[in-house]
Amino acid sequence: MNKTGASPKTKRSGLGDEIVGRIHQLGAISETPEHLARIFLSGEHRIAADLILGWMREAGMAAHLDAIGNVCGRYEGDRPGLPCLMLGSHYDTVRDAGKWDGPLGLLSAIACVADLDRRGRRLPFAIEVIGFADEEGVRFSSTLLGSRAVAGTFDQSVLDARDRAGISMRDAMVTFGLDPDHIGAAARTRGELLAYVELHIEQGPVLEQKNIPVGVVTAISGATRLAAKLTGMAGHAGTVPMALRRDALAGAAECIGAVEEFCRTDAAGLVGTIGTIDARPGATNVIPGRVSFSLDIRAPADPHRTRAVADIVRRIEAIASRRHLALQLEITHENRTVPCAPWLQAQLAEAVVAEGFGVFELPSGAGHDGMAMIDISDVAMLFVRCRGGVSHHPDEHVETDDADAGARVLLRLVENFRAREG
Ligand SMILES: [Zn+2]
C-alpha cells in the first residue's frame, strides 16, 4: 500500500484532474468573495446551475433545469427511454463553506459520463446525473428541498417560508426563473429509477485514520434531537453552602459527562453531542438556577438508537432527581435511518476491489439526499476521504489522487452495473 491506500498496480486516470479543476471553478461562484456561500435560489446559484448544465451537455447528456432548480442530465442507454441509474449530489452550500461537499459527487458523476461518451460507450440502461438545488436547507430552514421534490415528497407549506431578508421561497423561485406552482413536475417515479448512487466526501476522519481513499456507506444514520431544561435554585455564589445548592449547571455538566461516557462505550456507531448550552441568570457570582441544553443522538440502526435514547433519558432523569433539579425533556426532531441497499453495496465493493483498494464499510453520521431518494429508489453511497475530516469549513480538502480514486470506482460501478433482479 502506498500513501493513497492504493496497491501499486492502480494508477491515476485523467478524471481526478478534470474534477478538481471544475471544483475550483464552481467554488469561485459565491455570493461573497471572501467566504464561499452559494445559497438556494440566489443569483450565484443560478450562475452555477448554468455552468453545470453546460458541463452536462459537453459530456453528451441532454440537460435541463427541473421545476425546483435541480440540474438534470440524461445520457441515453443503448436505446432511448430506458430506466436510469441516477447519480448525483447537491450544488448548494452552507455559508463559509468548503468547495467539495456536494460538488465532488456531482462533478465525479459528470466526469464518468463524459468518459463513456468519449469512448462512444452506451449501456443497457440510461444514466441520469442530478445536482440537487437545495440539500443544506440554509435559506428556508428546511433541508433536502431538491431531492424531496424529485421523490414527490416536497412539503408545499415551505413555499411560504421566508429567508432572513423576508423573501418567501415562492418569490425567490419566481426571481430565479421557476414556477412555484409546478414543483410537482420535478417528481419522478420508482419505475424510472434502477438505483440512486451518490459519491460524497466523508466529512469525518475515519477514512484518513484507516489510510484508505474510499469507503462503502452502510446506512445514513437516523437521528434524535432533544431539548433539555434543568431548573434548580439560583443563589449567591458566596453565601450558599455547597451541600445546600441546587446548581442547574453543575447538574448539566454531569449529564454531559454521562452522555459522553454512554456513547463512548458503545461499539455500534452510536454518537451523542450536546452542542448548545445556556445557563441563567448567567453571572460570575450567581449559582445557575436554570440551564437549557440540546442533545443530538445518532446511530446507524433505529432500534439501537431508540434504546440508547431511552437509556440516556433515564440517566439524565436520575442525575436530576439526585440533585433535586426539575427536568423538562422533549424530542424536537427525529429521522429514521436510511439503509444503503445490500445489493448496491455489494456492487460498490466489487468496484472498489477492481480498482485495487480494500473494502471498508462505514455509516454516514451526516444527512444526505439519499434520505429523500429512499422513497422512490434503493440508494447507495461511496465516501471519499477528506483532509482531517474537516467539512462545512473553507479548509475542506480532497487530494486529487483521492478524487480520482472515487471517480474510477464510480465509473467501474456504472460500467458493471446490474439492475436488481425481480
Ligand atoms: Zn453534502
Side-chain angles (χ1 to χ4, degrees), residues 89-90 101-102 135-136 198 200 203 367-368 392:
S89 197
H90 58 97
D101 171 7
E135 189 269 351
E136 303 285 5
E198 176 164 352
H200 200 282
Q203 301 181 281
H368 294 288
H392 284 190

